[in-house]
Structure formats: C-alpha cells, structure tokens
Amino acid sequence: MEARITLQVDGEPRTLTVDTRTTVLDALRDRLDVTSPKKGCDHGQCGACTVLLDGRRANSCLTLAVAHDGAEVITSEGLAGGTPDGELHPVQRAFLEQDAFQCGYCTPGQICSAAGIIEEAAAGHPSTATEDLQAEGGIDLSDAEIRERMSGNLCRCGAYVNIVAAVRQAAEAAAARRGGTPDPEVPVVADSPTAESMPEHPEERA
C-alpha cells in the first residue's frame, strides 16, 4: 500500500509517494537524497539516524514516514541552514572546537541529539540523572546529565570525553544567550567561523 506525504525537510517541503512501511530514515536517504542521517544498527540502538522531528529528537529508523505527514524534519545539515548566512550551528561549532568526532559516522546523530537535549533541559524536562525535579528556569546540563541524555547515541571510536565537552560548551553558550549575557569565552553564532576556516585540530590554533 502506498501513500502520498509531505515532509518539511530542513525548511523545504518535500512531497513523495511511499510504501506505508517506509521509515523516515529510508524516505530521507533513499527517496530524497538527504544523507546526513546515517543508517547504523537500523534497530534504534546506535542513534546514528537521529533527527529532530517536530522539534524532538527521534530515531528515524524506527518511525514510519506515513505517520508523520506534514511534520518538520531537521537533520544535522539543516541545523546549519537555520542560522544567519548558513553559518554553523553552535553545537556543530562546539564539536569542531572540542575535536568531538573521529570517523564522524555517528556525528550527525550526535549533533541532532545535542541540539535536542539542550532545548529539553531548558524546558525543564528531567532525565534519570536529574537531582532537583523542582528546579525552576530549566535544568543545568551537568556532565552526568549530558552522559545520561546522550546515552542513546553510540560512538564506536570512543570520542565520548570530547563529545561531553562539546555539548557542555554549546549548552553554556545557549544558557548565556537566553540570559542575555553572552559569555565572552563563547562567541555567539553570528561571530562563528565556518567549517572551512576551522583548523583540523585544536592544537593547530595554539
């Protein structure tokens, strides 16, 4: 059985006819040539396929496209497109600055998850690592919170230390922007370098 659906992919409406058994991941990669979400385990265990689906992170390999007709899908590629002049999203820039990826296969999913958890914590959604369930003004993303909330994204290269540092940097920058007091050590995205201008390794900036 087939169905005609429209997905808002990275800000662009994309209409296609799919078999009703087609997942969001397969619709993106095989039908729309959006390849930044990766197919890893195909069982929702590795997180490489993570996208933001109507603003919430989701394993796109586990959800059917037909169930999300009209939904907004943001991939790691689309995060950059959502910033002024197409500059890198603060999470993407933090991953570069903290050298938070090695082979990079898991990185698109990690970046989408990181962007998602920063918003979830700011909205006060607790995790199993949250100590103060009555906290007002959002939940601080401690390293324990970051590890717990990112636990659905696996990195087989073992770059977890730098991934935690990158998420922490992006979360601190987001908190500073929300408070209206940008941290001078964490430039806002408008001052961000592009991917092409970044050195390959933090030591090269010394």
Side-chain angles (χ1 to χ4, degrees), residues 4-5 45 49 80 141 144 179:
R4 189 167 179 79
I5 64 171
Q45 297 176 347
C49 66
L141 280 178

Side-chain angles (χ1 to χ4, degrees), residues 9-11 34 36 73-83 89 92 112:
V9 181
D10 295 334
V34 179
S36 56
V73 181
I74 301 295
T75 69
S76 62
E77 184 177 349
L79 283 173
T83 59
H89 187 277
Q92 295 169 325
C112 282

Side-chain angles (χ1 to χ4, degrees), residues 24 43-51 57-63 152-153:
V24 171
H43 287 76
Q45 297 176 347
C46 74
C49 66
T50 303
V51 298
R57 54 198 173 119
N59 288 321
S60 60
C61 74
L62 291 184
T63 186
N153 292 81

Side-chain angles (χ1 to χ4, degrees), residues 13-182:
R14 307 287 298 270
T15 299
L16 69 164
T17 300
V18 296
D19 186 298
T20 53
R21 297 166 294 182
T22 302
T23 64
V24 171
L25 178 62
D26 288 339
L28 291 171
R29 291 184 58 85
D30 297 340
R31 301 295 306 281
L32 300 176
D33 294 327
V34 179
T35 56
S36 56
K38 301 296 188 262
K39 179 172 283 191
C41 66
D42 209 20
H43 287 76
Q45 297 176 347
C46 74
C49 66
T50 303
V51 298
L52 297 175
L53 190 58
D54 283 336
R56 301 294 299 272
R57 54 198 173 119
N59 288 321
S60 60
C61 74
L62 291 184
T63 186
L64 296 176
V66 71
H68 297 283
D69 184 20
E72 178 185 56
V73 181
I74 301 295
T75 69
S76 62
E77 184 177 349
L79 283 173
T83 59
D85 301 323
E87 293 182 355
L88 294 179
H89 187 277
V91 173
Q92 295 169 325
R93 183 163 54 81
F95 268 67
L96 280 171
E97 293 180 351
Q98 297 294 336
D99 198 17
F101 52 85
Q102 293 182 23
C103 82
Y105 194 86
C106 70
T107 302
Q110 298 269 8
I111 287 174
C112 282
S113 267
I117 72 167
I118 290 171
E119 295 302 318
E120 291 166 15
H125 299 299
S127 75
T128 57
T130 302
E131 296 181 357
D132 183 5
L133 298 178
Q134 306 300 321
E136 296 182 0
I139 296 169
D140 291 333
L141 280 178
S142 64
D143 286 1
E145 283 278 1
I146 292 170
R147 292 189 183 99
E148 169 59 25
R149 292 173 189 262
M150 295 289 291
S151 62
N153 292 81
L154 304 182
C155 171
R156 294 182 179 180
C157 297
Y160 292 117
V161 173
N162 292 357
I163 290 170
V164 171
V167 177
R168 186 192 317 121
Q169 174 180 320
E172 290 172 352
R177 286 194 301 276
R178 282 194 299 273
T181 54

